[in-house]
Amino acid sequence: MDPDSVAKAFVEHYYSTFDANRAGLANLYQEGSMLTFEGQKIQGSQNIVAKLTSLPFQQCKHNITTVDCQPSGSGGMLVFVSGNLQLAGEQHALKFSQMFHLKPTPQGSFYVLNDIFRLNYA
Amino acid sequence: MDPDAVAKAFVEHYYTTFDSNRGGLANLYQDGSMLTFEGQKIQGAQSIVAKLTSLPFQQCQHSITTVDCQPSGAGGMLVFVSGTLQLAGEQHALKFSQMFHLMPTQQGSFYVLNDIFRLNYT
């Protein structure tokens, strides 16, 4: 599978899971994974999922505008996403940018080693 | 030097150089460096600097809003930046997000292995 397709497939899977079942993101992270969410640094799959499932909204929908990817060396892949995030009940969607550093698993899949999320304020 | 300080120093150096002397960015990239600029993929220091020096404006000023960084493994560092870009003569600044993957050089400095730039349209 070519890198761009892998990146697109990952992005679709990540945000579908986020929007339908945030706890299901747990198997995309490992102990050494790092998330920086609006400047807050969190480490490890358990803490990361705890943070994401505790965000102050029940329902949300990510709409992806752009996906860029590049190989990061040693089999890893960098994925840079921009889009908007619609929270249930809110009139206006929030714009965001996010980058993922994916590393291969022995099973031939990918996990998220690095994750940085920022809202893009107007 | 702690990672956050390294990231901040790199970001200041990068954008100061970009804004005053784009040709001077050449020594921040190497042969294997990759830039994706608004979706266009470019490889190698020479081609990257050719692209950046040929952008259709003479003068610009980057103003940085946020800088996030995380270690990428194997001594590398991921830096995620958001800010605005004011072009000379334009009334409104452009918003952008950019990610860098820095790798150490033998001289104890860093070079840019991966660089992805996107404008954030309102």
Side-chain angles (χ1 to χ4, degrees), chain A residues 5-22:
Chain A
S5 307
V6 172
K8 275 211 167 73
F10 167 79
V11 164
E12 270 162 34
H13 175 67
Y14 183 89
Y15 293 110
S16 309
T17 307
F18 195 114
D19 294 345
N21 171 30
R22 258 175 274 168

Side-chain angles (χ1 to χ4, degrees), chain A residues 4 34-36 39 41 66 68 70-72 78 80 95 97 99 101 113-116 118 120-122, chain B residues 4 34-36 41 66 68 70-72 78 80 95 97 99 101 113-116 118 120-122:
Chain A
D4 286 307
M34 289 162 275
L35 165 65
T36 305
K41 299 186 192 195
T66 66
D68 293 306
Q70 291 179 3
S72 70
L78 294 166
F80 190 57
K95 292 189 187 6
S97 294
M99 60 139 284
H101 182 200
L113 175 61
N114 304 95
D115 180 348
I116 305 181
R118 276 284 181 188
N120 297 140
Y121 296 102
Chain B
D4 286 306
M34 289 161 275
L35 164 66
T36 306
K41 300 186 190 194
T66 65
D68 294 305
Q70 292 178 4
S72 70
L78 293 165
F80 190 56
K95 293 192 189 5
S97 295
M99 61 139 281
H101 183 200
L113 173 60
N114 304 95
D115 179 348
I116 305 181
R118 277 283 180 189
N120 298 140
Y121 296 101
T122 43

Side-chain angles (χ1 to χ4, degrees), chain A:
Chain A
M1 218 176 164
D2 82 284
D4 286 307
S5 307
V6 172
K8 275 211 167 73
F10 167 79
V11 164
E12 270 162 34
H13 175 67
Y14 183 89
Y15 293 110
S16 309
T17 307
F18 195 114
D19 294 345
N21 171 30
R22 258 175 274 168
L25 294 170
N27 59 16
L28 292 178
Y29 298 95
Q30 292 186 5
E31 267 183 49
S33 297
M34 289 162 275
L35 165 65
T36 305
F37 189 91
E38 279 287 282
Q40 184 189 353
K41 299 186 192 195
I42 299 137
Q43 176 141 0
S45 176
Q46 237 179 330
N47 295 325
I48 289 172
V49 176
K51 169 67 184 179
L52 297 178
T53 51
S54 72
L55 290 172
F57 50 84
Q58 296 279 50
Q59 261 191 304
C60 68
K61 176 91 171 78
H62 289 81
N63 295 301
I64 302 314
T65 311
T66 66
V67 180
D68 293 306
C69 73
Q70 291 179 3
S72 70
S74 54
M77 185 184 302
L78 294 166
V79 183
F80 190 57
V81 180
S82 74
N84 62 66
L85 176 54
Q86 181 69 58
L87 302 184
E90 295 285 327
Q91 192 178 14
H92 299 290
L94 302 167
K95 292 189 187 6
F96 75 91
S97 294
Q98 187 159 15
M99 60 139 284
F100 300 97
H101 182 200
L102 308 182
K103 298 285 275 182
T105 65
Q107 297 80 21
S109 181
F110 285 92
Y111 78 96
V112 179
L113 175 61
N114 304 95
D115 180 348
I116 305 181
F117 175 91
R118 276 284 181 188
L119 293 171
N120 297 140
Y121 296 102

Side-chain angles (χ1 to χ4, degrees), chain B residues 83-113:
Chain B
T84 70
L85 176 55
Q86 180 70 58
L87 303 185
E90 294 288 324
Q91 192 176 16
H92 299 289
L94 302 167
K95 293 192 189 5
F96 74 93
S97 295
Q98 186 158 14
M99 61 139 281
F100 301 97
H101 183 200
L102 308 182
M103 293 294 280
T105 65
Q106 281 128 342
Q107 296 79 23
S109 179
F110 285 93
Y111 78 96
V112 179
L113 173 60

